[in-house]
Structure formats: C-alpha cells, structure tokens
Amino acid sequence: MHVLSLRRRDRHGARTVRPPTGPRRRRGRRASALGLAVALLSSGLALGALAAPAQAAARVENPYAGATPYVNPDWSAKASAEPGGDAVADQPTFVWLDRIAAIEGTSEARGLRGHLDTALAQGADLVQLVIYDLPGRDCSALASNGELGPTEIGRYQSEYIDPIADILGDSKYASLRIVTVIEPDSLPNLVTNAGGTEGSTEACATMKANGNYEKGVGYALASLGDIPNVYNYVDAAHHGWLGWDSNLVPAAQEFKKAATANGATVDDVHGFIVNTANYSALEEPHFKVTDTVNGTTVRQSKWVDWNQYVDEKTYAQGLRSVLVAQGFDSGIGMLVDTSRNGWGGAQRPSGPGPTTSVDAYVEGGRVDRRIHAGNWCNQSGAGLGERPSAAPASGIDAYVWAKPPGESDGSSKAIDNDEGKGFDRMCDPTYTGNGRNGHNMSGALADAPLAGHWFSAQFRQLLANSYPPAGDGGENPGEPGDTRAPSVPTGLTVSGTTADSVSLTWSASTDDTGVAGYDVYRNGVKAGGTSTTSYTDTGLAASTSYRYTVRARDAAGNVSAASSAAPATTQASGPGGPSGLKAQYKNNDSAPKDSQIKPGLRLVNGGTSAADLSKVTVRYWFTKEAGATAFSTSCDYAQLGCSTVKSSVTALSSARTGADHYAQVSFSSGSLAAGADSGDIQLRLNKTDWSNFDESDDWSHGTGTSYADMPRITVYVNGSLVFGTEP
C-alpha cells in the first residue's frame, strides 16, 4: 500500500471461539492423508461447474484456477462512466471491508451479504475481499488510519471479524470460493517502522508493544480459516519495503508469529499477497538485479539501493521460498496486485538505459517511473497493469486487482470525515518527503479525495497509461500514435470439444493498421492468445461448463471490446478411454545443471471409471543440450512396482519451446480405479556420456518438492491427449 522502509543499517486479548462442530480440520494445501488428497483432487476436476448455492465447494490448491470471479457492480458502474472505461469495467476487483459499517453496507455501496448475493446472481464462484480494520490501523500512514483505537482489539474481534465470519459461514454461500486479503500493511510496519529508525513512528512502536496487530491478524486467520470455502492470503508489502536482506527473513518470522497467534496456525494461511494497493512494477524488463555496469552491480544504483529484488514477480517468488523455510506449507501460493503498476504511456522506456554509469543504466531503463520507490499515494504517471489472471507464473496463484483502480489512496489536503481517515503529507503533491522516501517529492496527484473514494482523474490517467494497453473500441485518451482498437470479433463458435479441451473459431476483426492477434478469455480470465481466428483451450476438466470471449489487438497494443460469449461443456469421456486422468509432479533433484533429470510423477484418476494403465502414456518434455544423443532411463521406485513401469526417450523432429526430446512413461499392465492415484513413481534419466543438462528452461521442469498438478506433463490414452499442454 505505501511506505518504502529503509534498510535497518542506514534508515531505516483473550479470544472467544464459536463452539466447534468437530475436530479442528487441517486447512493447509497438503491433505493430512493420501485418501483426502485424492478425494480433493477428484472433486477439483469440476472447478468451472456452478454448484447449487447450498452445495459446499471442494477445497482446491489454487482458488483462481477455473474460477469465474465476481465483478463488483459498484466499482464497474463508476469505471464504465469514465471515457473509455468500458474497456476494463468487466474486470474482477476486491471489495474492501475497511470499517464496521461496510459489513452492512452504506448509502453508497452494498454490504457484504449484498456482494455475495450479487455474486451468486452473476453465476460467479469466486469473491475477493480485503479485511482491513485493525486497531491502530496503518501506524505509519495517516491517510489510511482506521476507526478503532490502538487498544480496541475486543471491538475488532466482536464487532468486525465475528460478523464477517458469521456471514461467510452461511451455507447459502458455500459454493463460493472466498479469497480474503488479511490486513494490508500491518505486519510489515512492525518489521520496519517500529524500531527507532528514520522511518519509524511512535504509533508503530505502540502497536508492536501491545501486540494487537499480531493478535488481530491471528484472530482473523483462525476465525475465517475455520470456514471451508475461505482462502486467507496475508499481506506481505512489496519489494521496495521488505526486499532488503535485513528485512526479508525478519518479515517471514513476523508473519509466522502472527499466523500462530490467538488460535491461528500456519494451516489457516493459504498464501500471501504482494504489492497491495502499491505501484511497484510487476517486471523490470530492461535490467536485472544481477547486471553490472563497468564493474558496478545494479544493486549499488541509487534506485535499487542494495535491494535484492527489482520487481514484484521476483520478490513474490523469492519471499515464497523464505516463507516455506519458516514453516509455512510448501504449497502456498502468492498473489500480486497489478491494478496500478503497468507504467505504460509515452514515458515507458523501450530498452535499457545507457551504460555510462550504473545509475544511468537503471534510470534510463526502469519502467517504474516514480520519483522514489517509497512513494505510495496517488502516483502521477501510473497505469493499469496486467489484467487479473490465474496461475500466471511459477508459485503465483494469480495476478489480481486488489486495489480497485480509481479509488483514492488518500486526500491531497485535510478533509473532515467520519471514517477515521487522516491527512498524510505523502498525498500532498507539494510535499518534499521524509525518511521513508529519501526526502524526495511525493509524486502525488492533486485534488484527491479521501482514501477509498472515487478519483476520476486518477482513473483516467491509469487507463491512458495502461500496460498492456486497454483499448476502448475508439479513442483511448493519452495513448500516442495509433489509438484506435480493432473491431469486435464476431461469430465466436465452439467448433469441437473433448474431455479436456474446447476448440473455438470466429470471424476476423478489422483495424486501421492491421490486427496483430487475438486473446481468448475463459470465464473472464485470459486463457491464451493466437494470431489466427481459431484456438484450442486444453487442460480442462471433464463434464464442465465454460464461457468464452475473444478480444482482438493491434500492433500498437489497442484491444477491442469482448466478443459475444460462447458457452461450452467438455465431454464426459475422452477419446480412447476414461476422462479425468492427470499428471502430478515433484522435483527430486535440486541441481538443475547436473548430469541427471529426476522427475517424480504421480498419475491421478479423477474420473468415474477405472483406467486401463496399459493404454496410458505420460510424456516429460525437456531439452538435451550438448553431449551424447543416446540416453539411459531408470525407475528408482514405483508404488506400482518398477517392473510395470517402462520408460524411453524420443527426439523431436524439430525443436519446440522448452523441448527437443521427451521421456515417455508407459505401463505393462494394471488398472487405476476411479478416485485413486498411482502413488510415487521416481524416475531418472541421463545421457550416456553423463554430460550435464540445463533444466531451467525445460518445458516440464518445475521447482516444487511436493506433488502438484503439472499441465506441462502430458497424459495420453490410446495415443490421444487427455491432459496437459504440449510445448
């Protein structure tokens, strides 16, 4: 949300629990027994199907996978009313419960039940909420101060969390996956702003001393974690706050402390979110933290300032590893708020800066155009970022719009209000800064309203500077050069389905400079892109309904409005055998550049009938690199028995992305019952000269050390693809 905290070396009650209905269940991603894991995986194959309101949704690894997210009509109407706003008004955003009154609703916005009821009416099965009303809230930023005083932990529990838990626990909403972001900024403030450094505040020291942030977060995690269809994500600030060596591990330790406070356990945490309501770039494409200029590392540049991360994607992935090392489940996933970190428009660099000095190199190439990475309030020049999407990168559950674009970060001058929100000079465009932003100008927009209120000028700027660009079917304010989007694709038709795929065709769009390609959306989330007028969406669940739309884009990045929707339902059984087979994978080799590849495989039958294993093959796709062209393969262990497992390596006639060979696994005999899995299969392959591989860019390679679905490992029945995506 806000503050960049300087590195430490140079700057910086009793819980009332509702009576349980049975033994406290394990809420983590790992099941407590293999049978439970198989049952959940089997249920998870129908993620896209809409359940009856009273039917409980099966707990899944990634709540965003295959989901239809709720679009908040309150936000959507405001976005649509702005010029060009229709281009993004259908995006799912989080609902902020930032005061007790927001639970019941106000004259300007519906309450929690209203949102949940509207989600059901929309046919959505995923709702996103921000839980944000701790006592002494946001001790380092006055703009987002809250209504509860530092000691009012009792009110927080009984008047805020308990009513939310009661509503979310209503069986009427059991079919919804409910994602919660728990208390932005709270725990990071305890790490960096409560210890007497230049960026510290007395209010943060008070909250660290009384422990009410940790007690409140723990109570929220435990209370909401008791609800089977709630997925808790804890806020983890951003790389420009916690990315330094001196902050990263202490932050993970603080998160662990809060996650085991006041009745909570680490199993109440499904994952973490970074960049909430902030502006840090998702990726810096023109420089890496490992780059050097004339012998000086990028870490020594003024902008990076010895941070070990330069963007949110690498920070999220790096922090995830640190969190697992602290005792969080190895299956935790990360979210990244990309609502306002696109940084497009005319000021976006197209390449690296000059190599005359490390500062020139970074300053000229960085896409994050803030004056200082510590600036957090209504930033001038910002743009919309990546649209919400599921599983966009390793270890990341989704890119999300946690902060609804167009909602102010804070007022640019003092405004009387009854919401407990103060005036923070970091929202004043004339402010010359403080220790947290290196005493630089604030970079804030003028004439901003209270935090959370609609800020039309900000929304228009975000839309104009969107990256990827947001087309509106006409003139897109602020974009240079070609600003006209292609025509809307027409005639979207489902041309075929299998148990795990849907094939689509449509009529070509037109554009004044030419159509560059098309983006295909499944249930409102981008599934892929193509340069032709047809597309096959693979890796789907059997007997499941989906909804597709298509948008056209041109070379300038202008994007059309969405086509009319085409519904599709996958078949109940795949060609040549039963549906529901899928591959799971874990990495049994922590050294990606040694002489062996050691995949762990598990075959899962989530279908309704037994699978004849003699008809099943599995392919692991990889690149050979230099060295011998002959291979040896081995089965080190198989629960089915290595005598039934056959393996071989085949060279592709032409190289593909991430693969020029595949290792094929087949079975001499056996049957896999519905709802069962094959158990562990530990494989190994090497070149006959034992030369090294480089697995880091291999199509099927992953870094997870516990079994999880792997769509880049393909499964076939009688030679027909039934799971996964080939390179």
Side-chain angles (χ1 to χ4, degrees):
M1 173 168 295
H2 63 289
V3 291
L4 168 88
S5 284
L6 302 167
R7 289 168 289 113
R8 289 179 176 170
R9 68 179 180 85
D10 69 354
R11 57 173 179 179
H12 84 323
R15 177 170 178 244
T16 302
V17 183
R18 292 186 298 276
T21 56
R24 183 175 172 88
R25 61 180 178 81
R26 183 173 174 79
R27 288 173 297 279
R29 290 172 175 244
R30 297 172 296 181
S32 58
L34 180 60
L36 176 57
V38 172
L40 292 179
L41 288 166
S42 177
S43 301
L45 291 177
L47 299 181
L50 293 177
Q55 180 179 343
R59 179 160 289 274
V60 295
E61 287 289 301
N62 180 356
Y64 289 88
T68 301
Y70 167 57
V71 177
N72 180 359
D74 296 337
W75 174 82
S76 184
K78 294 173 184 175
S80 296
E82 300 289 350
D86 284 342
V88 296
D90 61 349
Q91 295 296 332
T93 56
F94 277 64
V95 173
W96 285 63
L97 301 175
D98 62 352
R99 47 189 170 135
I100 293 169
I103 302 171
E104 292 301 319
T106 67
S107 60
E108 299 177 352
R110 70 197 71 204
L112 178 55
R113 282 193 181 275
H115 284 293
L116 299 175
D117 290 340
T118 306
L120 293 175
Q122 282 183 6
D125 57 7
L126 180 128
V127 174
Q128 304 172 103
L129 308 173
V130 175
I131 306 300
Y132 188 50
D133 199 27
L134 273 178
R137 188 179 74 192
D138 208 337
C139 55
S140 66
L142 298 174
S144 44
N145 284 166
E147 63 188 347
L148 300 179
T151 62
E152 294 187 284
I153 186 67
R155 287 190 63 198
Y156 175 78
Q157 295 176 166
S158 63
E159 297 181 37
Y160 181 68
I161 293 298
D162 287 352
I164 292 173
D166 288 341
I167 293 171
L168 298 187
D170 190 328
S171 61
K172 178 181 181 181
Y173 307 122
S175 64
L176 297 172
R177 303 175 195 174
I178 300 172
V179 168
T180 63
V181 164
I182 303 297
E183 296 296 350
D185 292 349
S186 58
L187 303 178
N189 269 316
L190 298 186
V191 176
T192 62
N193 297 325
T197 59
E198 187 176 5
S200 298
T201 70
E202 184 178 346
C204 288
T206 296
M207 299 317 300
K208 183 173 184 177
N210 68 25
N212 282 342
Y213 278 3
E214 295 155 343
K215 295 172 188 175
V217 169
Y219 189 86
L221 288 172
S223 300
L224 303 179
D226 278 335
I227 304 168
N229 55 317
V230 170
Y231 299 79
N232 290 322
Y233 290 80
V234 175
D235 181 73
H238 52 89
H239 86 275
W241 189 344
L242 299 180
W244 282 277
D245 301 305
S246 56
N247 290 344
L248 197 66
V249 171
Q253 292 170 338
E254 178 60 45
F255 299 150
K256 173 75 174 295
K257 182 178 179 182
T260 52
N262 220 357
T265 75
V266 292
D267 294 323
D268 291 305
V269 179
H270 199 78
F272 290 78
I273 182 170
V274 302
N275 205 45
T276 305
N278 207 267
Y279 299 86
S280 294
L282 176 65
E283 296 180 89
E284 285 289 358
H286 306 312
F287 68 92
K288 303 186 296 295
V289 74
T290 54
D291 289 348
T292 60
V293 177
N294 302 324
T296 303
T297 66
V298 158
R299 289 190 73 187
Q300 293 173 261
S301 67
K302 181 179 179 181
W303 174 260
V304 179
D305 190 26
W306 292 102
N307 203 310
Q308 60 176 303
Y309 301 100
V310 299
D311 55 36
E312 290 306 292
K313 182 178 177 181
T314 56
Y315 169 64
Q317 293 169 327
L319 176 62
R320 182 181 180 278
S321 297
V322 175
L323 291 163
V324 171
Q326 288 296 321
F328 287 96
D329 195 292
S330 61
I332 60 170
M334 308 298 288
L335 305 178
V336 184
D337 185 359
T338 59
S339 60
R340 304 181 305 175
N341 68 348
W343 294 103
Q347 299 303 311
R348 184 180 178 89
S350 59
T355 56
T356 52
S357 71
V358 71
D359 282 328
Y361 177 70
V362 172
E363 286 299 306
R366 62 181 174 95
V367 298
D368 184 341
R369 303 312 300 173
R370 285 178 291 178
I371 298 171
H372 190 275
N375 289 351
W376 55 267
C377 192
N378 300 323
Q379 288 299 283
S380 177
L384 302 173
E386 288 284 344
R387 312 305 178 258
S389 61
S394 175
I396 297 178
D397 282 351
Y399 297 152
V400 298
W401 280 9
K403 177 69 171 181
E407 292 190 1
S408 173
D409 294 318
S411 60
S412 52
K413 59 184 179 181
I415 298 176
D416 291 336
N417 68 92
D418 60 358
E419 300 174 25
K421 296 168 183 174
F423 167 52
D424 195 296
R425 289 296 307 278
M426 285 297 289
C427 300
D428 177 356
T430 68
Y431 184 47
T432 56
N434 55 40
R436 287 194 294 274
N437 82 330
H439 298 283
N440 285 281
M441 297 295 291
S442 69
L445 294 170
D447 302 320
L450 287 173
H453 289 228
W454 189 253
F455 189 7
S456 177
Q458 184 202 53
F459 181 85
R460 296 185 187 198
Q461 172 197 267
L462 293 171
L463 186 63
N465 292 336
S466 176
Y467 192 89
D472 59 8
E475 296 300 321
N476 189 357
E479 288 291 330
D482 177 19
T483 61
R484 186 167 296 278
S487 65
V488 177
T490 59
L492 179 61
T493 303
V494 177
S495 57
T497 62
T498 68
D500 74 332
S501 70
V502 171
S503 296
L504 304 163
T505 61
W506 56 90
S507 298
S509 296
T510 59
D511 184 69
D512 55 348
T513 61
V515 175
Y518 300 86
D519 295 324
V520 179
Y521 290 79
R522 180 201 322 120
N523 296 341
V525 176
K526 185 178 176 180
T530 177
S531 60
T532 69
T533 56
S534 63
Y535 181 82
T536 298
D537 190 21
T538 60
L540 305 177
S543 301
T544 302
S545 296
Y546 297 96
R547 181 176 177 270
Y548 291 88
T549 56
V550 177
R551 294 176 182 260
R553 49 183 162 78
D554 64 17
N558 300 306
V559 182
S560 75
S563 69
S564 297
T569 301
T570 50
Q571 297 178 16
S573 61
S579 67
L581 288 174
K582 64 178 178 179
Q584 295 187 326
Y585 164 84
K586 68 175 181 177
N587 184 1
N588 288 329
D589 183 5
S590 60
K593 295 185 179 182
D594 62 7
S595 60
Q596 299 183 85
I597 298 176
K598 299 178 182 179
L601 299 179
R602 186 163 65 185
L603 194 64
V604 177
N605 183 4
T608 57
S609 58
D612 182 351
L613 289 177
S614 67
K615 298 179 180 179
V616 176
T617 53
V618 182
R619 291 179 182 177
Y620 180 96
W621 304 79
F622 67 96
T623 53
K624 178 186 78 71
E625 282 76 44
T629 58
F631 296 81
S632 296
T633 62
S634 302
C635 172
D636 289 334
Y637 171 80
Q639 187 172 318
L640 297 170
C642 278
S643 61
T644 68
V645 178
K646 299 181 290 184
S647 58
S648 61
V649 173
T650 299
L652 300 177
S653 57
S654 58
R656 308 181 191 179
T657 302
D660 51 27
H661 288 72
Y662 62 80
Q664 179 158 293
V665 179
S666 59
F667 306 89
S668 60
S669 62
S671 177
L672 189 60
D677 70 77
S678 65
D680 196 15
I681 303 173
Q682 298 178 17
L683 303 173
R684 176 164 45 89
L685 67 94
N686 59 272
K687 287 172 277 189
T688 53
D689 65 353
W690 290 93
S691 58
N692 285 346
F693 296 97
D694 182 355
E695 300 178 65
S696 59
D697 60 351
D698 288 356
W699 181 258
S700 297
H701 177 257
T703 58
T705 56
S706 58
Y707 276 115
D709 293 355
M710 176 52 104
R712 292 194 176 192
I713 294 176
T714 48
V715 181
Y716 307 81
V717 175
N718 282 340
S720 295
L721 180 67
V722 298
F723 173 80
T725 303
E726 295 184 346

